[in-house]
Each structure stands twice: as structure tokens, then as C-alpha cells.
Amino acid sequence: MKRILCYGDSNTWGFIPGSTRKRFDENTRWTRLLQNLLNGDFEIIEEGLCGRTLCTEDKRLEKVGKNGFSYFVPCVNSHDKFDILILMLGTNELKKVNNASAQDVLIMLSKYVEFIENYRSEQDGGKILPIICGIPNLYEEQCNQIRKNDKFDGAEKKCKEVNILYKNYCEENGIIFVDNSDLEVGIDGLHLNQIGHKQLAEKLEKIVKEINFDK
């Protein structure tokens, strides 16, 4: 059986839009839907974490451990061996406090790709196929209204810029890219709603089933 590691933030964890840290159940979040759509031919490994960044470090006590890259390396080794990495990160870099440009976000993403390209399973020397997911559209007015702050000021425009860079980078490096700009988000303008989770699962099902693992 092939194994797929899904590594992301709250949209991979299944955060319910507008809630106080409530999670969609196994019949709703995209990782579990994808597992069902693949009919038991693949095992899905869920590695979503609310607030996870690509590489940005937050020194506040309640945010320690959110640096995605610091955990990524031991995570990959812990789950060895798996065949596909689905990576969906970058939204939390868009927060005003992080002051990251779209190019900064791309550079952070490239660290993950470089690591995966050089990684070989300790069990059989096998490689991992990366699938890079674009960031779902972010709507800063809804986002800030729900939170009653300006945490995501300027993020809507930057989100679009990041997705263009992600797409171009993947095309240049022969990596599968998933355009998530059409996914439906909920009332907070940030997190996927039930329809968005279903849309993403169906997109990924089609992509995974078309992969030729015998190459």
C-alpha cells in the first residue's frame, strides 16, 4: 500500500471557519475524504497543525513549535517510509506581524522541496514525490472582522502573488502544483468550509490516481 503524508496548517487540520478551535470530523475534512476516495489503495497520514508556518518562528510561549520546517525533518523520518508528500503551507506567513514578502514565502517553500529532493528512505532508499498545494484565497476584510483586529492586513493581495510564484516555481522544477484559488472558504475568509474540503479532496484524488509510480 502506498502512503501519503499531508503536511499543513489549520486547513489540513480541519479548522471549522469562525469557530473557537473546533475541527471538522472524519466525514468532512479533506484528508479523510481523500482516504475514502482512494478506496483503501493509499494510507493517508494527517499532519495538520493550527498556526503552523513554513519557517517563521514565533517566540510567544503559546506559539512555540509552530515553525513547520523545524518539525518537518523529524516528521519525515518518523513516518518513513511514505511515497507522496502533499504540502499546503504559507498562509500564516501572510500575517502582518511576520512582514514576509511573496518572494520570502517562496524561498521558505523551496527549503522543503530541496530537502525532499535529496531525501531517501532509510528503509529502501526510495524517493518521495512532492505535491505542492497553493494557498486557498484569503479575504482579509472577513478575516479581520471575525478576529476584530488587523492581523491579515495586506494578505489578500500577497496571497495571490504567492500562488503565482508557487505555480511558476513548480512548473520550472517539474513539480505537481495544485491551484487552490477556486476552493470555497467559510465566513472567516480564511478556512475551508465543507464544500472547500470536498473540492480539495476531489482534486487530489484525480492527481494521485494519475501518478505513474513505475517511472
Side-chain angles (χ1 to χ4, degrees):
M1 179 185 292
K2 302 292 185 184
R3 304 175 77 225
I4 302 173
L5 176 65
C6 302
Y7 195 80
D9 52 30
S10 52
N11 270 322
T12 298
W13 185 78
F15 191 98
I16 296 177
S19 72
T20 306
R21 200 176 171 82
K22 291 185 178 178
R23 188 183 196 187
F24 282 122
D25 62 28
E26 294 198 352
N27 297 313
T28 308
R29 60 183 185 267
W30 70 262
T31 45
R32 293 294 96 196
L33 293 174
L34 179 60
Q35 174 82 76
N36 294 335
L37 289 169
L38 294 173
N39 299 317
D41 294 328
F42 292 81
E43 177 189 354
I44 299 296
I45 306 164
E46 293 181 291
E47 277 288 355
L49 177 66
C50 296
R52 176 176 280 152
T53 64
L54 278 161
C55 297
T56 305
E57 195 70 66
D58 194 323
K59 301 299 184 183
R60 290 173 294 176
L61 182 61
E62 71 274 16
K63 299 295 183 181
V64 169
K66 304 291 187 177
N67 183 327
F69 195 73
S70 294
Y71 178 67
F72 183 65
V73 176
C75 178
V76 168
N77 282 288
S78 174
H79 291 297
D80 184 47
K81 121 176 185 35
F82 59 95
D83 306 275
I84 298 173
L85 166 71
I86 297 176
L87 182 69
M88 188 163 71
L89 283 174
T91 296
N92 288 302
E93 257 72 26
L94 302 180
K95 291 175 182 175
K96 185 178 177 181
V97 68
N98 290 327
N99 195 33
S101 69
Q103 187 64 38
D104 291 335
V105 178
L106 177 64
I107 290 170
M108 295 179 203
L109 176 83
S110 69
K111 289 181 63 176
Y112 288 79
V113 174
E114 182 179 355
F115 176 81
I116 286 298
E117 286 181 343
N118 291 301
Y119 184 83
R120 297 294 180 273
S121 168
E122 292 184 5
Q123 294 189 43
D124 63 3
K127 297 175 66 175
I128 299 168
L129 176 70
I131 296 176
I132 305 298
C133 288
I135 304 171
N137 279 346
L138 187 151
Y139 302 94
E140 62 188 75
E141 185 175 349
Q142 290 173 254
C143 234
N144 290 338
Q145 187 174 20
I146 288 286
R147 288 166 175 75
K148 295 181 173 56
N149 58 38
D150 61 353
K151 185 181 289 187
F152 280 98
D153 273 4
E156 189 167 337
K157 177 175 179 288
K158 196 179 295 182
C159 177
K160 292 178 172 61
E161 294 171 349
V162 167
N163 281 328
I164 291 171
L165 291 178
Y166 275 16
K167 183 175 184 291
N168 292 341
Y169 174 81
C170 289
E171 287 178 351
E172 290 168 4
N173 290 278
I175 299 166
I176 297 172
F177 174 75
V178 184
D179 181 2
N180 284 337
S181 61
D182 59 346
L183 298 185
E184 190 169 311
V185 298
I187 60 170
D188 62 5
L190 178 67
H191 295 103
L192 301 177
N193 61 17
Q194 292 187 42
I195 294 173
H197 277 270
K198 184 174 183 290
Q199 290 172 324
L200 180 54
E202 291 172 348
K203 280 189 181 195
L204 290 167
E205 175 208 9
K206 183 178 179 182
I207 290 170
V208 170
K209 286 184 173 178
E210 289 178 350
I211 293 173
N212 181 1
F213 289 95
D214 296 325
K215 282 186 177 182

